[in-house]
Amino acid sequence: MKKILISIALFSTLIISCEKDYLNEPKPTSAVSSSVVFTSKDGVNAFISGILRASRLELNLDRLDTGGLPSLYFARTVKGNDLVLGVQWYRFDYNNDNRDPTDKRTVFNWAFPYTLINELNILIKGINNSDNLSKTDKNEGLSQALTLRAFYYFQLAMEFQHTYSYDALLPAPPIYTSPALEGKAMSTLTEMYTLILSDLNDAVEKGADSRLDKSYINKNVTYGILARVNQVMGNWSVAEIAASKARIGYSLNASNYSNGFNNIEDGEWIWGIPQTVDQTITINSAPHSFTDNSNKIGYGEAFWNEDFVNRFSDTDVRNTFFDLFGLGDNSGSYKARASSKFKLTFDPDIPLMRSPEMLLIEAEAKTRQDNDTEAATLLFSLQKNRDPKAVASGNSGTALIDEILVERRKELYGEIGVEWFDAKRLRKGITRTGNHRVKSPGNLLPDDKKFFLKVPQSEIDANDNIDASVNADR
């Protein structure tokens, strides 16, 4: 019988000996014996730490554009209009031409989340079956595992089908809630989002406010992911509350904006991927290695659309753009505008969630519930923090929503693919303008099939319950 492609051997190189050193340093730097994983809180944290380290997993595809979660996000970034990509890695994503069943993007974006989901299912089963863990320790471990499982199913839902509001009954990737050897049939978006919400709501109930460091999951992170999911689903009252709770304890700090976005201890960061020099994936640490054009250790072949740059005032701290090559205004070169937002070092930490994003989700949720006054006040609090000369627009209704969406792009450029994410969830297109190297071939129409990927041929070949017809009309 054919077997599913989910790898249950991923951690065979992680769950080995040397547990003593690992438990003394519960970060993604080593490994732990399976015989002690579920007998103590330290063992569970060590297993979770291994999963977090695997978030940078390359899956042996021999490509620098398939380097874990950062590459999934950066691929979304280059599909939009705000970033202009040179001739290098991610160029097929930039062309919006990397979605066929055998393409590396398709294979990676399927196999990577499922690899971690399977490990999370092993973790959930092990915690539930443990006779040694206290109820408190079980709940804390389960909360982290359930949050991460929901997070990776959310990525699969976004990557392999239309958005939820298009048709929630459309086929979605298979669902596994226990360790799996054999493949299952496709699910539906309804079933997948039901599981995602169930996991997140359960995680909120079981979760803790404290954690080992910002790479681990606490209630803030769970609420943040819950806010994103409900933002996609259009559940605005839930999105508003979740976003508000996610940013508790994480205030705005404009003075940190120009520090290079490479330090997880930044006060605005709610969640991130830490790196140390001995573990670093420097050369494919998206976005740093691709957008930092001033260093000699990365690629630095990603630039910024002049039309996007022109949205920033001169006094906005987020205006990190400059003319690297002295090409002058209106040169038409795709290299006309570089950015210093991300500084590449040999150990750059990578942002996954920050408080300004949550503030903007909250603001959008308020105005979509006809609470324009509070939404505008929230929005302006961010704008004034970033630009001391900012002036409130006075917008309301649709104009205010549009302003919030632009502000999301201005605040989060290069981080999580926000332009693509918003265009997809809101069923809008993306039209290339300005000094793009590739224009019309990279355009995305509203509800464009290029917003999602086909099911990998490798999965079809390995799974008895999925055949080639799954990609019909995709």
Side-chain angles (χ1 to χ4, degrees):
M1 179 176 290
K2 294 189 291 185
K3 303 295 184 183
I4 192 167
L5 292 177
I6 295 176
S7 170
I8 64 169
L10 166 66
F11 282 9
S12 62
T13 58
L14 295 180
I15 304 174
I16 53 177
S17 59
C18 66
E19 65 266 22
K20 181 177 180 181
D21 290 341
Y22 200 78
L23 297 179
N24 288 337
E25 184 66 20
K27 297 179 184 295
T29 57
S30 185
V32 61
S33 169
S34 58
S35 64
V36 300
V37 169
F38 303 117
T39 60
S40 69
K41 180 178 179 178
D42 284 340
V44 170
N45 282 335
F47 195 97
I48 292 171
S49 191
I51 291 174
L52 296 174
R53 182 177 180 180
S55 65
R56 296 173 291 165
L57 192 66
E58 295 183 35
L59 290 183
N60 299 318
L61 294 180
D62 299 322
R63 294 189 63 88
L64 297 182
D65 48 10
T66 55
L69 181 57
S71 71
L72 186 150
Y73 276 152
F74 196 66
R76 294 176 182 176
T77 297
V78 305
K79 292 178 180 181
N81 187 40
D82 296 342
L83 181 141
V84 182
L85 192 71
V87 182
Q88 60 161 331
W89 300 106
Y90 295 95
R91 63 186 179 275
F92 295 109
D93 299 300
Y94 176 63
N95 294 342
N96 275 297
D97 183 25
N98 198 10
R99 61 185 299 271
D100 285 335
T102 57
D103 286 344
K104 291 291 181 67
R105 173 62 54 210
T106 301
V107 173
F108 174 79
N109 283 20
W110 180 281
F112 168 65
Y114 272 127
T115 299
L116 296 190
I117 286 168
N118 198 64
E119 298 303 328
L120 289 161
N121 285 337
I122 293 171
L123 175 60
I124 291 167
K125 180 179 179 180
I127 293 173
N128 280 327
N129 292 342
S130 174
D131 295 324
N132 300 95
L133 295 169
S134 69
K135 182 178 180 180
T136 298
D137 290 345
K138 279 190 173 186
N139 282 344
E140 187 175 329
L142 287 171
S143 177
Q144 295 195 66
L146 291 167
T147 298
L148 288 168
R149 185 170 73 177
F151 174 80
Y152 282 109
Y153 272 124
F154 184 45
Q155 308 317 313
L156 287 167
M158 292 296 293
E159 291 287 337
F160 286 94
Q161 190 49 273
H162 284 291
T163 193
Y164 181 84
S165 63
Y166 180 88
D167 182 354
L169 297 179
L170 285 174
I175 292 174
Y176 303 88
T177 56
S178 59
L181 288 175
E182 297 180 1
K184 290 188 177 182
M186 299 286 280
S187 65
T188 66
L189 282 175
T190 296
E191 292 169 334
M192 183 160 283
Y193 275 89
T194 297
L195 173 67
I196 290 168
L197 291 179
S198 175
D199 277 358
L200 291 173
N201 289 326
D202 194 7
V204 164
E205 291 298 317
K206 290 180 167 66
D209 295 321
S210 61
R211 52 182 164 169
L212 288 171
D213 62 46
K214 289 185 184 180
S215 68
Y216 289 83
I217 306 298
N218 68 351
K219 280 192 175 184
N220 295 82
V221 177
T222 305
Y223 275 123
I225 297 168
L226 190 63
R228 289 174 178 173
V229 171
N230 282 281
Q231 184 185 32
V232 168
M233 298 179 74
N235 298 331
W236 295 112
S237 61
V238 181
E240 177 188 349
I241 294 170
S244 176
K245 290 183 176 181
R247 64 189 184 91
I248 291 175
Y250 297 88
S251 59
L252 302 177
N253 189 346
S255 64
N256 286 345
Y257 206 91
S258 59
N259 288 347
F261 275 79
N262 55 20
N263 185 358
I264 198 171
E265 296 307 319
D266 186 290
E268 292 186 347
W269 288 33
I270 299 172
W271 188 31
I273 297 175
Q275 295 194 95
T276 58
V277 173
D278 63 309
Q279 299 171 16
T280 187
I281 51 168
T282 299
I283 200 64
N284 61 341
S285 290
H288 301 77
S289 62
F290 294 95
T291 67
D292 185 351
N293 311 86
S294 301
N295 69 81
K296 302 299 182 181
I297 57 175
Y299 283 94
E301 266 291 313
F303 297 85
W304 299 92
N305 187 348
E306 288 180 315
D307 288 350
F308 177 61
V309 172
N310 290 336
R311 292 182 177 274
F312 294 80
S313 71
D314 290 339
T315 52
D316 192 328
V317 70
R318 300 170 300 187
N319 188 345
T320 62
F321 308 102
F322 60 98
D323 186 350
L324 177 65
F325 298 110
L327 298 172
D329 294 340
N330 304 313
S331 69
S333 170
Y334 75 87
K335 296 184 177 182
R337 291 294 178 268
S339 168
S340 61
K341 179 176 179 178
F342 300 99
K343 181 180 179 180
L344 180 62
T345 62
F346 284 104
D347 58 347
D349 300 336
I350 299 169
L352 297 178
M353 183 186 295
R354 295 191 298 116
S355 57
E357 178 199 358
M358 294 299 115
L359 181 150
L360 290 167
I361 293 176
E362 187 180 348
E364 181 184 356
K366 286 180 180 293
T367 193
R368 291 191 185 277
Q369 297 173 91
D370 300 320
N371 190 351
D372 289 350
T373 300
E374 289 187 13
T377 299
L378 262 183
L379 173 63
F380 187 62
S381 70
L382 174 63
Q383 293 170 328
K384 190 69 172 178
N385 181 271
R386 292 339 196 191
D387 182 356
K389 295 186 177 181
V391 177
S393 67
N395 285 332
S396 61
T398 301
L400 180 57
I401 291 173
D402 290 342
E403 184 181 2
I404 291 169
L405 295 176
V406 169
E407 205 67 29
R408 280 169 57 81
R409 289 163 58 191
K410 292 171 69 176
E411 180 62 39
L412 299 167
Y413 65 91
E415 295 181 48
I416 57 173
V418 68
E419 182 189 12
W420 178 94
F421 180 87
D422 285 350
K424 177 163 186 173
R425 70 182 172 90
L426 297 172
R427 302 175 62 186
K428 296 183 177 182
I430 299 176
T431 301
R432 294 267 171 85
T433 65
N435 57 321
H436 264 280
R437 186 176 60 80
V438 174
K439 287 192 175 180
S440 57
N443 289 343
L444 293 168
L445 300 173
D447 295 326
D448 203 316
K449 292 179 181 177
K450 291 187 288 187
F451 271 114
F452 62 93
L453 308 172
K454 298 180 181 181
V455 175
Q457 187 62 45
S458 50
E459 178 70 19
I460 295 170
D461 292 342
N463 188 342
D464 278 327
N465 290 303
I466 299 177
D467 59 39
S469 66
V470 72
N471 284 324
D473 198 35
R474 288 176 69 95

